[in-house]
């Protein structure tokens, strides 16, 4: 906590939903205690609350170590919440990194499972949100209108097989 910047000076709030490693749960609970009103932590599975957070959020962080499928990032995008994910499994398949130079992508990604890479990408997302709201809105729109259906996936696989 001592290394965290004062949340009162930051232009955002943080909501954490879900359970995980006991150390992370304790850290997030401590963060909530240190910053009441700015951080809210709910260490449970709660589908109703998850949908409220998808609808209310601007950025959705899913730094999974591994994720064989991943539905949460697709739900977040449909709601207009821009995902930040670790490039693994279904997360890598559905979230394509934002590229400012050509205004492409539907979220933000990082490859290595470490705090430094994750925080760097969180900083990029926060900067785009603050400094270029029009580009952030286009990024959000691409996520909302993306085709994550089985029909598209099946077509992609069929194309691979035809190519073989």
């Amino acid at each position: 906590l001592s290394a965290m910047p004062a949340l009162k000076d930051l232009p955002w709030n943080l909501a954490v939903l879900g359970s995980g490693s006991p150390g992370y749960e304790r850290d997030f609970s401590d963060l909530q205690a240190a910053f009441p009103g700015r951080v809210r932590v709910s260490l449970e599975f709660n589908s109703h609350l998850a949908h409220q957070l998808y609808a209310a959020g601007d950025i959705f962080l899913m730094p999974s170590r591994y994720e064989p499928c991943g539905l949460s990032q697709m739900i977040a995008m449909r709601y207009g919440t821009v995902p930040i994910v670790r490039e693994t499994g279904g997360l890598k398949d559905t979230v394509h990194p934002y590229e400012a130079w050509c205004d492409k992508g539907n979220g933000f990604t990082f490859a290595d499972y470490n705090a430094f890479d994750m925080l760097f990408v969180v900083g990029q997302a926060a900067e785009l949100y603050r400094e270029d709201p029009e580009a952030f809105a286009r990024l959000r729109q691409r996520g909302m209108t993306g085709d994550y259906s089985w029909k598209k996936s099946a077509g992609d696989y069929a194309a691979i097989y035809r190519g073989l």
Side-chain angles (χ1 to χ4, degrees):
L1 286 176
S2 62
M4 286 289 298
L7 287 179
K8 65 180 175 36
D9 297 331
L10 297 174
W12 47 265
N13 294 311
L14 175 65
V16 177
L17 175 63
S19 59
S21 301
Y24 289 134
E25 288 184 0
R26 189 174 40 260
D27 290 345
F28 281 119
S29 294
D30 291 348
L31 198 60
Q32 176 178 264
F35 300 100
R38 297 301 309 267
V39 175
R40 178 69 173 101
V41 177
S42 183
L43 301 173
E44 63 177 337
F45 173 79
N46 184 326
S47 180
H48 179 71
L49 180 56
H51 283 273
Q52 290 177 323
L53 291 173
Y54 292 135
D58 293 305
I59 297 172
F60 173 76
L61 177 61
M62 192 169 180
S64 299
R65 184 181 304 263
Y66 61 92
E67 190 68 47
C69 174
L71 295 175
S72 297
Q73 79 284 1
M74 290 185 283
I75 296 168
M77 286 188 284
R78 188 65 72 209
Y79 274 89
T81 304
V82 173
I84 300 173
V85 303
R86 182 168 165 270
E87 295 171 2
T88 185
L91 302 176
K92 184 176 182 174
D93 294 340
T94 56
V95 179
H96 309 288
Y98 174 67
E99 299 178 70
W101 68 276
C102 59
D103 196 30
K104 293 197 179 197
N106 61 2
F108 293 86
T109 69
F110 60 99
D112 293 327
Y113 189 75
N114 67 64
F116 301 106
D117 289 357
M118 182 187 78
L119 288 174
F120 179 79
V121 173
V122 167
Q124 287 180 319
E127 181 180 358
L128 184 68
Y129 178 83
R130 279 191 313 268
E131 303 297 325
D132 196 345
E134 293 84 13
F136 194 86
R138 290 189 304 273
L139 179 67
R140 178 180 300 205
Q141 185 66 28
R142 283 191 296 274
M144 291 174 72
T145 58
D147 183 358
Y148 312 106
S149 69
W150 281 113
K151 183 177 180 180
K152 178 172 184 326
S153 296
D156 292 347
Y157 280 113
I160 290 170
Y161 292 127
R162 279 192 300 276
L164 297 174

